[in-house]
Amino acid sequence: MPATALPSSGDEPGRTPGRAPGREPGRTPGTPGPAPGTAKTCDASGMAEIHRFFRAGFGEGRALVAGVAESDAAHADVVCDHLELLSVGLHAHHEGEDTMLWGTLETRAPSCAVHVARMKEQHAALLVHLNELDAALPAWRASGRSADAAGVLFALDGITAALAAHLPDEEANIVPVMEVTLTPKEVDALSEHGRKATPKGKTFEQLGAILAAQPDGGVEWQRAHLPGPVRLIWRLIGKPKYEANRAALTGHARR
């Protein structure tokens, strides 16, 4: 599910005319955020929660690849499945923003347009790296050879560097505007768009990774997002499956 490529100009992805390559701003001087005391219309804290999942997941990607022994295609297959889960999730997350968020913010909060333009540019840059990862995974999955892993590592380095610039920028300059601009229904629709992209059979793996990425291990996230019966299912069925997958990812599964 590729995200929509939306570069803001004809320049190379990630670069704005007059800005040195690789430099990404925080809040742009002279462009206001929400006025002090503006009433919140929704809770967009879920953005930071899902961002933690992407930071943690892609952040450990290089170590997971390095942990695969030469020509161990079976282990490489497990790691590739995990990296595909992350890629599909980030594609969908950005696709939701591209199609459901940016236009709304530009219309309802015109002063945010400069930030939206930068988000589109950053999405286009990330799309390049995600497509590189998607293209590199099949060969390494089939062989497990370090020579084929080189393309995977190159793409992961590009993704992690781009996320390090993009996610804090979005949290600082977009989320506060969302919280005084969108309705709860609109925020829920963004979340649902991401959930629908979860590959079949990967729900528990993704849920476990989201929980593990939260500061408290996901205790508050479960209380906020999972009804009691679902928490029970997670504890009895989902968590053991997630832990087995983690063992397989790190090479500690029983053979």
Side-chain angles (χ1 to χ4, degrees):
M1 180 181 291
T4 307
L6 292 170
S8 60
S9 73
D11 297 293
E12 63 187 71
R15 185 174 182 182
T16 296
R19 184 191 305 158
R23 295 188 61 191
E24 294 296 340
R27 184 175 297 282
T28 303
T31 56
T38 303
K40 290 180 67 170
T41 59
C42 68
D43 177 5
S45 60
M47 292 286 281
E49 292 168 349
I50 200 66
H51 285 179
R52 293 185 192 116
F53 162 65
F54 292 128
R55 281 191 182 96
F58 285 111
E60 70 168 352
R62 175 171 271 277
L64 291 175
V65 173
V68 176
E70 183 66 23
S71 299
D72 187 349
H75 189 184
D77 183 58
V78 176
V79 175
C80 282
D81 270 354
H82 181 67
L83 295 177
E84 280 189 348
L85 176 66
L86 290 165
S87 179
V88 168
L90 189 53
H91 274 305
H93 180 66
H94 282 178
E95 183 183 69
E97 292 173 338
D98 291 342
T99 60
M100 304 165 67
L101 179 60
W102 303 145
T104 300
L105 293 184
E106 288 172 323
T107 299
R108 299 180 191 173
S111 65
C112 193
V114 65
H115 300 309
V116 169
R118 195 169 62 255
M119 295 300 106
K120 293 178 182 179
E121 179 186 335
Q122 291 172 0
H123 277 199
L126 268 159
L127 182 61
V128 172
H129 299 304
L130 284 171
N131 286 344
E132 289 171 345
L133 177 64
D134 297 341
L137 287 175
W140 185 55
R141 182 194 293 275
S143 74
R145 295 172 59 244
S146 57
D148 291 320
V152 176
L153 293 171
F154 178 81
L156 286 172
D157 287 345
I159 292 168
T160 54
L163 287 177
H166 173 60
L167 299 183
D169 194 354
E170 187 168 85
E171 290 166 14
N173 295 298
I174 297 297
V175 172
V177 181
M178 291 174 63
E179 291 192 324
V180 297
T181 303
L182 301 186
T183 67
K185 184 176 181 180
E186 288 168 330
V187 172
D188 289 345
L190 283 167
S191 298
E192 180 64 16
H193 182 86
R195 285 193 294 271
K196 285 182 177 178
T198 304
K200 186 176 181 179
K202 297 296 183 180
T203 299
F204 288 136
E205 292 175 24
Q206 181 166 291
L207 175 57
I210 291 172
L211 294 175
Q214 305 312 313
D216 65 353
V219 174
E220 288 301 322
W221 194 97
Q222 289 190 64
R223 290 173 181 165
H225 299 286
L226 301 181
V230 178
R231 293 200 298 271
L232 180 61
I233 293 171
W234 162 250
R235 187 166 66 250
L236 297 179
I237 300 173
K239 187 176 181 180
K241 287 188 175 182
Y242 165 72
E243 290 175 343
N245 177 252
R246 286 299 305 176
L249 278 173
T250 59
H252 294 130
R254 293 180 180 178
R255 298 191 182 257

